[in-house]
Amino acid sequence: MVAPEPIEPLPEDWERGLVIAAHPDDVEYGAAAAIARWTGQGKTIVYCMVTSGEAGIDAMPPEQTGPLREKEEREAARVVGVDEVEFLGYPDGVVEYGLPLRRDLARVIRRHRPNIVITGNFRETFGGVMLNQADHIAVGRAVLDAARDAGNRWVFRELLDEGHEPWNKVRAIWAGGSPEARHGVDTTATFQLGVQSLEAHAGYLGALEGHPEPAEFLEGLARADGTRLGTRFATSFEVYPLMLF
């Protein structure tokens, strides 16, 4: 049997992080345990959800699902030490990559001025034959570009008129759950907080037929990443550096 490729520890010499995800619950499939570690170190982390996940429950109309999922995401964030969660209100399931999304995400980055931007996997698959979802791909691509747009005062000049000065101090974008991940963080001490964060989505998970128990599902992912990092549990990320010095 071929040993899994080792991954390197992520740097933790930063103070402010911004998580940008397509849907409520995206962060909770592994990254939340890492967020708990970082907030426990005193770092400030903010969540921004592009949609409210209103198309996620087949048996419930969107006007009911959206508020439910927003409420569950705020509780999931609270569990791991995140106090601020915002929702951009894009339509769930049909998010399009383009200038409007880049502009709105650049605005968010300029407002929160993070050192690290965290998002989800935006490659075509999660590895093997498991296809990624269109919103994840559109949002991740837009995050990558918006982080650079945020630092250029001549891109989206209307943001200057709104009072949002450029922010060019994003060191890197970290994409959780990527099949091309080469870095990771030890989540052994915060794994249970990650489980509780996913469990906060009780209404949503309860509507998904055959969904495994959160602890069981997350343990499989965390153990695999931990093996690569040399720890009991870990969360892996693909790193896209923006600052080389």
Side-chain angles (χ1 to χ4, degrees):
M1 180 180 294
V2 178
E5 181 183 0
I7 55 179
E8 300 178 17
L10 286 168
E12 296 186 316
D13 58 339
W14 49 277
E15 298 179 357
R16 296 186 61 83
L18 172 64
V19 176
I20 301 176
H23 315 105
D25 89 314
D26 284 353
V27 184
E28 284 67 59
Y29 282 96
I35 303 300
R37 172 186 171 97
W38 293 324
T39 58
Q41 295 171 345
K43 303 183 194 307
T44 299
I45 297 181
V46 174
Y47 282 6
C48 173
M49 303 291 124
V50 173
T51 80
S52 297
E54 69 276 5
I57 299 179
D58 183 69
M60 183 181 293
E63 57 269 21
Q64 296 179 24
T65 301
L68 168 68
R69 299 198 68 192
E70 287 187 6
K71 179 181 178 181
E72 291 184 339
E73 181 57 38
R74 290 190 176 96
E75 174 59 19
R78 185 198 64 77
V79 168
V80 295
V82 174
D83 297 324
E84 187 172 353
V85 182
E86 57 185 69
F87 298 86
L88 297 186
Y90 276 72
D92 183 20
V94 291
V95 177
E96 292 182 298
Y97 171 87
L99 295 178
L101 182 57
R102 280 174 51 187
R103 181 190 60 241
D104 289 347
L105 295 183
R107 180 187 293 111
V108 171
I109 292 168
R110 289 190 185 192
R111 284 198 292 110
H112 293 293
R113 307 174 82 79
N115 310 118
I116 299 295
V117 175
I118 300 159
T119 192
N121 172 37
F122 53 96
R123 292 186 175 271
E124 290 186 357
T125 75
F126 284 96
V129 297
M130 185 176 178
L131 291 175
N132 204 346
Q133 198 263 0
D135 287 356
H136 299 160
I137 296 171
V139 169
R141 287 183 57 207
V143 167
L144 201 63
D145 290 331
R148 291 172 290 189
D149 297 334
N152 189 332
R153 71 174 57 252
W154 307 122
V155 175
F156 302 127
R157 299 185 193 184
E158 61 269 35
L159 298 182
L160 293 175
D161 296 335
E162 297 172 10
H164 303 302
E165 289 296 317
W167 177 250
N168 63 359
K169 302 299 183 183
V170 176
R171 289 168 46 179
I173 296 163
W174 295 349
S178 169
E180 299 299 325
R182 299 290 183 269
H183 293 76
V185 59
D186 182 359
T187 55
T188 304
T190 54
F191 173 75
Q192 289 301 328
L193 287 173
V195 172
Q196 293 172 30
S197 189
L198 182 56
E199 289 175 339
H201 294 277
Y204 174 64
L205 297 181
L208 299 180
E209 185 176 352
H211 191 282
E213 288 296 317
E216 175 186 355
F217 182 83
L218 292 176
E219 183 170 343
L221 298 175
R223 282 192 182 278
D225 286 338
T227 297
R228 297 179 67 194
L229 188 64
T231 61
R232 183 183 179 195
F233 295 135
T235 298
S236 63
F237 294 86
E238 183 174 4
V239 172
Y240 297 84
L242 294 185
M243 296 178 64
L244 301 180
F245 52 86

